[in-house]
Amino acid sequence: MADDGAGIPPEILPHVFERFARADDSRAHSAAHSTGLGLAIVKAVIEGFGGTASVHSAPGDTRFRITLPLAGRP
């Protein structure tokens, strides 16, 4: 998934997959309704299947990458 918005603040980026991590409320109109659990849940589910979740973010280019192992491989 890619986004061309403002990006994730550099101080939040290392913590984006942690529970309750949220960007500054002034940066996102829906942050007031966020619990900060969505990406933590995504990471837990992906890792439960033996995969990884990562993010790269810069202004105008934020990308989330999810990798999963092929079926039938240990």
Side-chain angles (χ1 to χ4, degrees):
M1 179 178 95
D3 183 283
D4 63 358
I8 299 169
E11 64 275 9
I12 300 294
L13 197 55
H15 307 285
V16 76
F17 289 105
E18 295 176 6
R19 289 181 281 169
F20 309 113
R22 294 183 353 172
D24 178 28
D25 286 350
S26 66
R27 293 180 61 94
H29 61 278
S30 63
H33 303 291
S34 171
T35 60
L37 292 173
L39 290 175
I41 292 169
V42 167
K43 184 178 180 190
V45 170
I46 296 301
E47 288 179 349
F49 285 102
T52 61
S54 61
V55 62
H56 161 80
S57 184
D61 184 26
T62 297
R63 296 174 187 265
F64 287 88
R65 181 180 180 119
I66 294 171
T67 59
L68 292 167
L70 292 173
R73 295 204 176 179

